[in-house]
Amino acid sequence: MRPTFIRKSASELRVPPNLPRPAEREAPLSVQAARHALAGLPGGGLNIAYEAVDRHAAGPRANHPAFRWLCRNDAEQIFTYDDLALLSNRFANVLNSLGVGKGAGVFVLCGRIPELYVAVLGALKNGCVVSPLFAAFGPEPIATRIALGAGRVLVTTDTLYARKVAKVMHALPTLKHVLLVGEGGATTDIPGTLDLRRLMDAAADGFDIVPTAAEDPALLHFTSGTTGTPKGAIHVHDAAVMHYMTGKYALDFHPEDIFWCTADPGWVTGTSYGIIAPLLHGVTSIIDEADFDAERWYRILQDHEVTVWYTAPTAIRMLMKAGTELARKYRFPDLRFIASVGEPLNPEAVWWGQEVLGLPIHDNWWQTETGGIMIANTPAMDIKPGSMGRPLPGVEAIIVRHEDNGAVTVIDVPDVEGELALKRGWPSMFRGYLNQEERYRKCFAGDLYLTGDLARRDADGYFWFVGRADDVIKSAGHLIGPFEVESALMEHPAVAEAGVIGKPDEIVGEVVKAFVSLKKGYEAGDALRLELLGHARKRLGAAVAPKEIAFVASLPRTRSGKIMRRLLKARELGLPEGDTSTLEGGA
Ligand code: ATP
Ligand code: MG
């Protein structure tokens, strides 16, 4: 049996952590002080892009690399803070010259190319509300989101436009300007669109940022659609305060860090931490245009001397599946901190980091709605593998009982499962669900925001994810979180990934069914099924262990990498699949 703690000693930490132990609650920086750590616009107000870019471009970090962009074909391009300031100014001028002003919706539909980052930052400078979309979305999800957000401008590539956007233009009456990036550097001449490079070349280098207040809308992020139709969450410029603070404490940015956030800006992690937080701290980020590839990823970590790495459980599980031998071909002497978000991180994955990469993986928890990391394992903390950590300074996390009739009561004692709630008012809290006021209202009870996730807090103040309220299985009077069952299955050497659902049953309410994908070298069959059932029963007890196991090649996932249990369930029960716009591999 492995120990329940991964202990940290000060001597093992390469740099002194920004959040020392044990005083996590009394951080050196309160939310108020973090706000003061940002400069604010010279004339008053707050603008994310000013804090992220112009502030550094005007100071000693002007020539420090902001982004090291790795092209699909391995070419590489550096963008300093100065470069970014200039390019985003030009883009802001482009918008301005088109008559696009404050509050207008700017959508960006690109792969991870430099223009995406320039457009996001330039649009923020122009006071617009930016919404980056996954380039892999199909025409319908693109059209739905642009229509919902009343997009005025779309930045995309000529190829994506031809393949996905042209056919839905008729459904987008608010969309006035389509700015195209010609792939391969070509200029484009598609009727009804404008060539972005030509406009950028003609634009002036200087731009006076449109004054924005801390409470002005800045970003529109769509949720991952794991539990249903994605919702549009609205965030304001004040979110930068939380991005700064969490960059400092949860990701432990230090000035010379080389940071790699593997998330695509099409979902909130890729924007909050792939763009904003590292820039606020003036560090260098890696942007990789290419998709996941185990060898490529190890090579990037090694060759680019990444020091802080932020990734997701699904990526870690894929690396685990690719085998230890591959990892051992590479060395990561510069890597000092690894964090993960998006899904529960199985203890097995935390240990894999420790044993194979030489560092444990630090899980942290947040949502599109929270705009930034809320609960985290910070560098100085001892890790309890399987726990998502402790609330960050300035975050009050509470476990509540949430009755079907809407009544909410605080659970004061440790180790009791309930809904995870947060004391409202942190700067990056979403300010609304687009066009769904009632739904937004229902997320709050008094001064609490109800997250829709179930968790428990232990006596040491660590939080343990149980499951999404929608995914929890009720079987013979027990409440079973799929994560617990999936983690137990993953402890078996044959299991690469597991997704667990409740299947309606007349006698016990629901029975636990597991879908399992296997590691290389293992064969699906009755013998292995029996072995896994036995393994799970031994680990979990008969009441919680799955009664059925099905072998699958892979599990259905969102494009942000989350297992879609609702889809496993719908398919199992022959029910409609619902919104599959974010399904990986979908149209
Ligand atoms: P939708 O709300 O559309 O169903 P989603 O909730 O997956 O999609 P996101 O906002 O991208 O959309 O994801 C946030 C959710 O992801 C959390 O509410 C939680 O369920 C899960 N999650 C994120 N990080 C963790 C973590 N460290 N441990 C467990 N679950 C996590
Ligand atoms: Mg959600």
Side-chain angles (χ1 to χ4, degrees):
M1 258 321 244
R2 285 167 164 151
T4 47
F5 266 106
I6 297 180
R7 302 258 178 217
K8 308 266 190 68
S9 77
S11 62
E12 280 167 26
L13 301 168
R14 195 142 353 115
V15 294
N18 288 325
L19 191 58
R21 193 172 62 154
E24 285 106 359
R25 304 291 306 161
E26 299 98 53
L29 206 64
S30 64
V31 170
Q32 212 41 39
R35 192 170 276 116
H36 289 303
L38 302 179
L41 282 172
L46 186 69
N47 186 285
I48 293 175
Y50 178 80
E51 303 299 333
V53 178
D54 288 13
R55 190 164 56 102
H56 301 300
R61 288 189 99 69
N63 294 318
H64 192 73
F67 290 135
R68 195 183 292 168
W69 180 67
L70 315 181
C71 172
R72 233 175 255 287
N73 67 10
D74 283 346
E76 193 182 311
Q77 206 177 336
I78 303 277
F79 294 86
T80 64
Y81 280 88
D82 207 25
D83 295 334
L84 270 192
L86 183 122
L87 290 167
S88 53
N89 277 352
R90 284 192 181 173
F91 185 78
N93 278 318
V94 167
L95 291 177
N96 202 19
S97 71
L98 295 171
V100 175
K102 192 172 171 181
V106 175
F107 282 74
V108 187
L109 174 80
C110 296
R112 288 180 294 279
I113 55 174
E115 285 82 355
L116 184 164
Y117 299 81
V118 167
V120 167
L121 294 164
L124 289 171
K125 282 186 172 179
N126 197 44
C128 297
V129 182
V130 199
S131 188
L133 299 177
F134 273 113
F137 277 153
E140 283 312 311
I142 293 169
T144 317
R145 285 162 178 76
I146 296 176
L148 191 65
R152 276 278 293 284
V153 179
L154 172 68
V155 179
T156 186
T157 67
D158 51 354
T159 316
L160 287 170
Y161 180 79
R163 276 190 15 226
K164 304 183 176 192
V165 184
K167 59 184 90 162
V168 291
M169 279 300 285
H170 65 276
L172 299 171
T174 63
L175 195 58
K176 298 293 180 230
H177 311 283
V178 177
L179 312 183
L180 296 187
V181 181
E183 281 191 15
T187 44
T188 66
D189 264 320
I190 302 177
T193 70
L194 296 165
D195 181 74
L196 180 60
R197 289 207 183 96
R198 226 179 269 154
L199 293 174
M200 287 287 279
D201 288 345
D205 291 343
F207 183 78
D208 289 329
I209 291 189
V210 171
T212 44
E215 284 301 314
D216 282 342
L219 296 154
L220 169 64
H221 284 304
F222 290 89
T223 61
S224 291
T226 316
T227 54
T229 304
K231 299 146 273 185
I234 301 158
H235 289 280
V236 298
H237 282 275
D238 209 35
V241 173
M242 213 62 195
H243 295 148
Y244 180 83
M245 198 157 156
T246 51
K248 190 173 178 85
Y249 293 146
L251 298 176
D252 198 46
F253 289 141
H254 285 65
E256 296 314 309
D257 275 326
I258 307 283
F259 172 62
W260 185 23
C261 169
T262 61
D264 187 279
W267 80 294
V268 70
T269 305
T271 305
S272 295
Y273 297 97
I275 307 178
I276 301 169
L279 293 180
L280 290 175
H281 283 268
V283 304
T284 302
S285 282
I286 303 286
I287 299 169
D288 184 25
E289 188 190 3
D291 293 329
F292 175 86
D293 173 84
E295 279 206 73
R296 181 180 175 93
W297 277 34
Y298 285 133
R299 212 172 51 234
I300 291 174
L301 287 173
Q302 171 184 276
D303 295 354
H304 290 279
E305 301 171 341
V306 172
T307 57
V308 178
W309 186 34
Y310 196 21
T311 189
T314 179
I316 295 162
R317 289 193 297 261
M318 285 196 278
L319 291 175
M320 291 165 75
K321 198 171 177 176
T324 306
E325 310 75 51
L326 184 66
R328 300 241 190 261
K329 284 201 215 155
Y330 299 86
R331 293 278 169 275
F332 316 106
D334 300 287
L335 198 57
R336 67 172 179 85
F337 186 67
I338 311 176
S340 158
V341 71
E343 275 197 299
L345 184 66
N346 315 85
E348 213 40 40
V350 177
W351 282 107
W352 175 85
Q354 175 83 353
E355 287 157 11
V356 177
L357 303 179
L359 295 166
I361 321 272
H362 296 72
D363 188 19
N364 60 52
W365 176 96
W366 59 291
Q367 308 177 303
T368 307
E369 290 86 343
T370 71
I373 303 170
M374 298 280 110
I375 298 178
N377 288 283
T378 59
M381 268 171 68
D382 293 334
I383 295 179
K384 298 190 189 189
S387 156
M388 50 203 193
R390 294 163 57 155
L392 287 172
V395 174
E396 242 181 276
I398 296 146
I399 302 292
V400 301
R401 186 169 296 112
H402 190 179
E403 314 284 353
D404 289 342
N405 67 7
V408 170
T409 44
V410 173
I411 300 176
D412 257 340
V413 282
D415 297 319
V416 177
E417 285 169 10
E419 185 165 350
L420 176 61
L422 301 164
K423 184 95 170 276
R424 70 186 291 171
W426 70 96
S428 62
M429 188 182 88
F430 70 138
R431 300 298 199 270
Y433 281 134
L434 204 58
N435 296 352
Q436 296 192 73
E437 263 173 47
E438 175 65 10
R439 187 163 195 172
Y440 182 68
R441 217 179 39 74
K442 279 199 173 139
C443 293
F444 296 91
D447 63 352
L448 293 180
Y449 161 64
L450 304 164
T451 67
D453 284 346
L454 302 184
R456 66 190 151 80
R457 186 191 69 245
D458 71 16
D460 297 324
Y462 284 69
F463 281 70
W464 299 77
F465 182 80
V466 173
R468 292 160 181 276
D470 298 9
D471 286 340
V472 166
I473 301 160
K474 297 181 187 86
S475 184
H478 294 276
L479 272 188
I480 301 170
F483 173 52
E484 184 187 8
V485 182
E486 290 160 9
S487 291
L489 285 165
M490 278 195 63
E491 282 173 22
H492 191 282
V495 177
E497 252 191 325
V500 165
I501 61 160
K503 217 177 128 177
D505 179 273
E506 277 186 13
I507 297 164
V508 292
E510 284 183 301
V511 292
V512 178
K513 172 156 187 173
F515 297 82
V516 163
S517 82
L518 297 177
K519 286 193 189 141
K520 260 196 252 145
Y522 290 90
E523 201 152 316
D526 285 342
L528 185 57
R529 182 177 291 112
L530 279 177
E531 192 180 316
L532 290 178
L533 289 170
H535 162 88
R537 208 164 305 134
K538 214 158 76 201
R539 282 283 291 101
L540 300 164
V544 176
K547 299 280 181 291
E548 289 178 39
I549 291 183
F551 293 110
V552 291
S554 63
L555 296 167
R557 252 190 275 268
T558 64
R559 294 185 192 284
S560 52
K562 297 162 197 266
I563 298 170
M564 290 174 95
R565 295 178 190 81
R566 73 170 160 99
L567 223 57
L568 285 172
K569 192 160 178 170
R571 287 174 183 172
E572 175 71 22
L573 305 181
L575 297 172
E577 295 196 348
D579 188 305
T580 54
S581 60
T582 61
L583 176 66
E584 190 183 58

